[in-house]
Amino acid sequence: MFTSTPDFRQLEVTNDGSRREPTQGKQWHLRYLHTDEAHRLSQGEGVTVAVLDTGVGPHPDLSPNLLEGTDVIPGGSGDGHHDSNGHGTGMAGLIAATGEGGAMGIAPRSKVLPVLVTRATGVGEADALADGIEYSVSHGAHIISISSVGGASQRLVRALNTALAANVVIVASAGNRPDDGYVGYPASLDPVIAVGGVDRRGNHAAVSVTGPEIDVVAPAVDIYSTGINGGYRVGTGTSDATAIVAGAAALIRSKYPDLPAQEVAHRLTATAIDKGPPGRDDEYGYGVIDLVAALTADVPPLGFESPSDTAPTSTAAHGSSDDNSTARGLATLGVLLAAGGGYLVWRRRRRAGDPPPRISR
């Protein structure tokens, strides 16, 4: 079984004009991430993001970017546009809402491929997730966003390997406390971008699990997005952070369309704003994503960075909440993960030109 990781409340559409309130007024994460500056560089044009979730309901802020998808639940049918839960619609909005109404996505010109892999309960089977991944690959997804954690199956492992071999970026949520005590599957797998969360001050969000598998973190508290029945929702959890990172990956893939999936992940980690102890750590991974730096920094390809490399500079400057951040840098890419004596080199040290990573478990 796997579970989506929602902690959100659905808001009703009002008739007092609040739907037309300036988008960034409620979406604090857009200001925090300097999305307006990033959108002058890329808005996700030409990129399709598959959202594997509870479906994506029709919404005025999403309709221009919503593709026909599918329902892979046994006995299910349809185009993935039915969402009785609201979770999937919220994730899609964080990625690709147009900003014409009350919500804007990180990549407002990207397209969302809705793949219903779980019903309103938020609980589903690993093989349904595998079906969703295979459908996404066969229907041209460039990025797969998975805001759920759970168990594995051989079928799911094969599907993930198929996506990796097809040069698809896979982003997954780490999991939420107290229900999850450690980084869940598939985020725990090396080739998957594992996403944790931060709060409004840029500090570790209490809801976010920790662990050596965390790659990057993004806003995860009080996140405003699209909801069902044309309304809006406010969510807290690594689900939201995952959708935000999937949107960031869409910006990168749009600006650098020939960049391999592993280099997209590398660009996100190499330009992240370091938090906590210097270097990679279990709360923040390589740090908080920096959209502008990820789109502008001179990032050496995998295999060409050196431990002495200094941080690429960014025109984005986070507010006072990030005053305790250390300089971001490529030196973190050579960190060895230690567990009783040290046992592997972090995956971002893979050499350029190496075959795509595979999952062996």
Side-chain angles (χ1 to χ4, degrees):
M1 305 286 281
F2 69 90
T3 59
S4 57
T5 54
D7 176 10
F8 66 92
R9 62 186 185 276
Q10 171 75 19
L11 307 178
E12 298 298 326
V13 178
T14 63
N15 295 316
D16 60 3
S18 63
R19 245 187 86 188
R20 293 293 173 180
E21 178 180 328
T23 299
Q24 294 199 9
K26 294 182 178 179
Q27 294 187 286
W28 70 266
H29 66 280
L30 298 182
R31 297 190 304 274
Y32 179 83
L33 295 171
H34 301 279
T35 311
D36 55 347
E37 187 174 353
H39 285 173
R40 290 195 286 270
L41 303 165
S42 173
Q43 294 191 29
E45 299 91 335
V47 175
T48 297
V49 183
V51 175
L52 276 56
D53 215 290
T54 61
V56 178
H59 193 286
D61 295 352
L62 271 171
S63 295
N65 293 331
L66 187 59
L67 302 175
E68 181 176 331
T70 192
D71 177 346
V72 301
I73 298 297
S77 62
D79 55 9
H81 290 186
H82 177 73
D83 179 13
S84 59
N85 179 283
H87 189 259
T89 305
M91 300 306 102
L94 290 173
I95 296 166
T98 63
E100 295 299 317
M104 176 182 285
I106 298 295
R109 293 189 180 177
S110 65
K111 301 297 184 184
V112 165
L113 181 68
V115 184
L116 197 161
V117 297
T118 181
R119 295 297 184 196
T121 59
V123 179
E125 298 292 338
D127 285 356
L129 186 60
D131 285 338
I133 291 170
E134 291 171 351
Y135 178 89
S136 302
V137 173
S138 66
H139 285 74
H142 303 96
I143 297 158
I144 293 175
S145 182
I146 304 173
S147 288
S148 62
V149 299
S153 71
Q154 287 300 313
R155 176 83 189 288
L156 180 53
V157 168
R158 289 195 299 270
L160 288 164
N161 279 324
T162 297
L164 295 168
N167 196 34
V168 176
V169 176
I170 306 173
V171 186
S173 56
N176 292 341
R177 291 172 171 164
D179 293 337
D180 305 309
Y182 51 86
V183 177
Y185 192 94
S188 58
L189 299 171
D190 280 354
V192 176
I193 301 174
V195 181
V198 293
D199 61 19
R200 287 174 176 262
R201 297 183 59 82
N203 297 322
H204 174 72
V207 70
S208 178
V209 300
T210 61
E213 302 89 352
I214 299 289
D215 287 315
V216 291
V217 291
V221 175
D222 299 331
I223 305 300
Y224 186 91
S225 185
T226 48
I228 56 176
N229 301 320
Y232 296 87
R233 44 85 78 186
V234 176
T236 290
T238 58
S239 285
D240 301 82
T242 297
I244 289 170
V245 172
L251 297 182
I252 296 171
R253 297 218 93 165
S254 180
K255 185 174 183 190
Y256 303 103
D258 297 326
L259 203 64
Q262 59 190 351
E263 292 288 352
V264 173
H266 172 51
R267 184 164 277 272
L268 282 168
T269 57
T271 59
I273 298 173
D274 194 7
K275 296 277 293 184
R280 209 220 70 84
D281 65 80
D282 289 358
E283 285 191 340
Y284 300 98
Y286 287 104
V288 183
I289 59 168
D290 186 329
L291 301 181
V292 178
L295 294 169
T296 61
D298 183 10
V299 179
L302 282 164
F304 290 92
E305 73 280 355
S306 70
S308 61
D309 283 335
T310 56
T313 58
S314 168
T315 54
H318 287 256
S320 59
S321 62
D322 276 328
D323 287 347
N324 63 340
S325 298
T326 59
R328 75 182 73 88
L330 298 179
T332 58
L333 300 177
V335 174
L336 289 176
L337 297 182
Y343 62 95
L344 80 143
V345 177
W346 190 245
R347 63 177 172 272
R348 304 300 179 225
R349 295 290 296 175
R350 293 181 64 258
R351 295 285 176 180
D354 282 356
R358 286 186 58 80
I359 297 165
S360 58
R361 49 185 164 124

